[in-house]
Amino acid sequence: MPNYSAKRQEYDDALPGWQLVKRCVAGPREVRKYDEYLPMPDPLNQSPENIARYQQLKKRAMFLNVTGRTRTGLLGAVFRKTAEIKLPSAVEYLLENVSGDGSSLEQLCKEATGECLDTGRGGLLTDFPKVELPEGQTSLTVSQAAKARAYVHFYPAESIVNWREDVIDGVRRLTLVVLHEKINETTDDGFEFTAKDQYRALMLINGKYVQRVYSEDTPDGVKTNPTDKMGKAFDHIPFHFFGSQNNDASIDKAPLEDLAEVNILHYGNSATVEEAGFISSQPTLFLTSDLDPDTFKIHNPNGVQIGSRKGHLLGKQGSAVMLQAKETQLARELMKDKEDQMLMIGARIVQQGGGAETAEAVRIRYSSDNSVLGTIAGNVSEAVRLSLFDAQRFMMEAVDEAGTVFWLNQEFFDEAMDAQAILAQMQLWQQGIIAKKDLRTNLRQAGVLESDRADEDIDADREEEAPVVGSEPDSPPANQPPGVNDE
């Protein structure tokens, strides 16, 4: 029987780091489920009292979810502007239903970008669902063919358990990918379900793409041979990796892992501070007296009560002192150090502004983060674009590369353009140095024009408007040299 559930060693080595980041992103409730992130102070003492004290320690510890907030901010920077998208009509349905479950293409890209921030890795599989024909029917009807569509499915890093690359004709090519899936089977009453493991093996055998699905019920696998629109076998596996550094099959560094490590250490320091405060923050009364116990009870029949409404007789040499532990600085300073380290790593979303700061200074501070984020946005864009090509192979006779455009936003800052800058752009156009299309592109990037307004939309709106008084609508600008084409 094939060992279809085998995992690569690199996968096992990277899995704890991926889990750490995702648990931090999920927040305090998820982190507190795992004792490994806040070890028990006395692990050898397994008495009920010590275990109960440890549970109280975990409840008092504060987990400041810097990792999750940073992830949200970075995602917001990428998707602050809509992606540049252009698709052939045959696959335009992917814009609103890219995975067959109603998820939009933008939502798939958000999942992919978030996964790349968490783990530095992920993948997209383009697949065509197998259509079961009724008995006696040999080909699809028009109605059946209209519903049969190719879809793009997102797989997180934890689901990609095995892979292999081989050199074929001097080119390194992907020849094996094994994907771990969870299949929910409902019970007879329909109210409950059980999750079962399933492994989807994508293989390149003799230069042809083959897919096999393994499970406990089908240990030998169910084989399918996907073909394109023309009935020809694929000469590559329609699965595309994306990573934080590049899009090959190797595992890249998880961008948020360093931040999550410090976040967990900050969580441990917080537990120490809260525990010390809980134990020693309340004042304690200490009494000294030369009275014997019986005499003390006679003069203080109700014991010693703290407050100004009742006096106490302590004898000639008696005294009372109220003691309270002073604030310990070590653990608090360790917490502050961790907060500074998280800011240095990239969690500036929690940093308090200390005054006015120029836009250029902000760009300098964020330059390293933008470099990583820009690489991720570019890598995810490339993987999505290649997946769209594979979808076209299923749905069209030929891939329309020229008619397919997909690119996520990589401008993470507002490029403010004042009136003087706009006038300078106008002069460049009037002098024939740039075209009108370039001018409008610059205005879109600066936010002067809406990013989704195409030149055709602007021209159509202008035709409906009345001519500007004092100028001819079709005449060239006054400062434009003769013979210069404004397009």
Side-chain angles (χ1 to χ4, degrees):
M1 184 177 69
N3 187 16
Y4 53 83
S5 61
K7 298 178 177 62
R8 284 187 64 129
Q9 184 61 45
E10 298 95 318
Y11 174 90
D12 291 331
D13 294 340
L15 184 60
W18 299 342
Q19 293 174 337
L20 168 65
V21 175
K22 293 196 171 185
R23 290 166 183 172
C24 286
V25 169
R29 187 176 299 176
E30 184 69 18
V31 170
R32 290 193 180 101
K33 293 180 181 178
Y34 304 93
D35 295 345
E36 60 189 282
Y37 301 134
L38 186 61
M40 183 180 291
D42 187 6
L44 298 180
N45 183 359
Q46 293 296 316
S47 64
E49 295 80 5
N50 191 52
I51 294 177
R53 179 181 176 184
Y54 173 63
Q55 295 302 323
Q56 293 299 317
L57 172 69
K58 289 175 64 176
K59 289 182 179 180
R60 282 190 292 269
M62 178 194 69
F63 179 77
L64 180 64
N65 194 0
V66 177
T67 307
R69 292 171 64 87
T70 301
R71 181 186 190 270
T72 301
L74 294 174
L75 271 180
V78 175
F79 292 94
R80 61 186 290 269
K81 293 183 179 180
T82 57
E84 186 179 357
I85 305 176
K86 181 180 178 182
L87 298 179
S89 58
V91 293
E92 281 186 342
Y93 66 90
L94 294 174
L95 291 173
E96 302 298 331
N97 187 13
V98 69
S99 302
D101 57 0
S103 298
S104 65
L105 181 58
E106 181 181 4
Q107 183 60 40
L108 178 136
C109 293
K110 288 181 178 179
E111 288 184 324
T113 305
E115 181 69 16
C116 205
L117 287 168
D118 293 344
T119 65
R121 179 178 178 80
L124 300 173
L125 170 64
T126 306
D127 200 12
F128 194 91
K130 185 177 180 180
V131 180
E132 298 291 342
L133 296 177
E135 185 176 357
Q137 183 176 331
T138 59
S139 61
L140 293 175
T141 64
V142 175
S143 176
Q144 291 171 335
K147 297 179 181 179
R149 292 174 169 178
Y151 295 105
V152 180
H153 304 283
F154 161 72
Y155 284 86
E158 297 98 322
S159 298
I160 310 171
V161 299
N162 198 0
W163 61 93
R164 187 177 70 247
E165 288 182 309
D166 296 326
V167 177
I168 301 176
D169 297 330
V171 179
R172 182 174 294 275
R173 302 182 65 184
L174 191 64
T175 57
L176 172 68
V177 180
V178 180
L179 305 171
H180 178 210
E181 302 172 344
K182 286 287 187 180
I183 303 299
N184 295 328
E185 293 187 358
T186 57
T187 56
D188 294 337
D189 59 10
F191 288 98
E192 296 179 302
F193 64 87
T194 57
K196 291 188 176 182
D197 293 322
Q198 177 176 286
Y199 292 85
R200 188 177 303 273
L202 317 176
M203 297 172 285
L204 197 64
I205 301 177
N206 297 325
K208 296 182 179 180
Y209 169 50
V210 176
Q211 187 177 132
R212 285 193 175 96
V213 178
Y214 298 90
S215 65
E216 292 183 358
D217 299 330
T218 57
D220 293 328
V222 177
K223 180 181 177 181
T224 57
N225 300 85
T227 59
D228 61 13
K229 178 72 172 179
M230 307 303 294
K232 299 172 64 175
F234 278 69
D235 61 358
H236 67 280
I237 297 177
F239 183 89
H240 301 284
F241 286 97
F242 54 83
S244 60
Q245 298 175 6
N246 53 55
N247 284 2
D248 60 13
S250 61
I251 296 178
D252 294 340
K253 174 70 176 177
L256 292 179
E257 185 174 352
D258 292 339
L259 179 59
E261 291 280 359
V262 182
N263 210 165
I264 287 296
L265 294 176
H266 182 272
Y267 171 56
N269 292 148
S270 170
T272 303
V273 171
E274 298 297 333
E275 178 75 358
F278 177 78
I279 293 174
S280 60
S281 61
Q282 296 296 324
T284 304
L285 179 64
F286 286 84
L287 300 174
T288 60
S289 175
D290 58 355
L291 301 177
D292 60 81
D294 293 335
T295 305
F296 187 89
K297 289 181 180 180
I298 293 173
H299 293 290
N300 302 281
N302 296 322
V304 177
Q305 300 177 3
I306 298 176
S308 60
R309 295 185 177 183
K310 184 175 180 61
H312 304 283
L313 178 62
L314 304 179
K316 296 180 180 180
Q317 304 297 325
S319 65
V321 179
M322 187 75 74
L323 297 181
Q324 185 174 8
K326 294 183 179 180
E327 180 184 2
T328 175
Q329 295 295 324
L330 178 58
R332 187 68 189 96
E333 288 298 323
L334 290 175
M335 289 184 66
K336 291 181 179 179
D337 289 342
K338 302 299 187 302
E339 291 167 7
D340 292 340
Q341 291 167 5
M342 286 189 284
L343 295 177
M344 180 183 66
I345 292 173
R348 297 184 179 90
I349 193 171
V350 297
Q351 187 176 23
Q352 298 295 326
E357 189 173 20
T358 64
E360 186 61 27
V362 173
R363 290 186 182 90
I364 293 174
R365 286 199 298 109
Y366 281 81
S367 59
S368 61
D369 299 328
N370 287 343
S371 176
V372 175
L373 191 59
T375 301
I376 290 174
N379 289 345
V380 171
S381 299
E382 182 63 21
V384 171
R385 184 169 175 268
L386 294 176
S387 298
L388 294 174
F389 287 163
D390 285 332
Q392 293 177 35
R393 292 183 175 94
F394 280 114
M395 301 298 296
M396 301 164 54
E397 296 181 359
V399 174
D400 184 7
E401 294 190 16
T404 304
V405 178
F406 184 87
W407 199 255
L408 293 176
N409 165 56
Q410 293 193 26
E411 296 177 8
F412 310 129
F413 291 98
D414 286 322
E415 296 291 339
M417 184 179 290
D418 55 18
Q420 185 177 359
I422 295 176
L423 180 59
Q425 291 285 323
M426 288 289 295
Q427 291 174 346
L428 290 175
W429 167 57
Q430 290 173 343
Q431 295 171 8
I433 298 176
I434 62 175
K436 184 191 296 184
K437 184 176 182 180
D438 299 325
L439 171 63
R440 289 176 173 173
T441 299
N442 295 338
L443 294 177
R444 288 190 192 94
Q445 293 177 352
V448 178
L449 296 178
E450 295 181 7
S451 59
D452 58 349
R453 276 180 61 78
D455 290 348
E456 294 80 4
D457 299 331
I458 298 174
D459 292 336
D461 291 343
R462 287 193 61 202
E463 290 179 358
E464 297 176 359
E465 295 176 353
V468 179
V469 178
S471 65
E472 295 295 333
D474 296 328
S475 61
N479 296 334
Q480 179 174 304
V484 176
N485 190 341
D486 61 351
E487 295 294 327

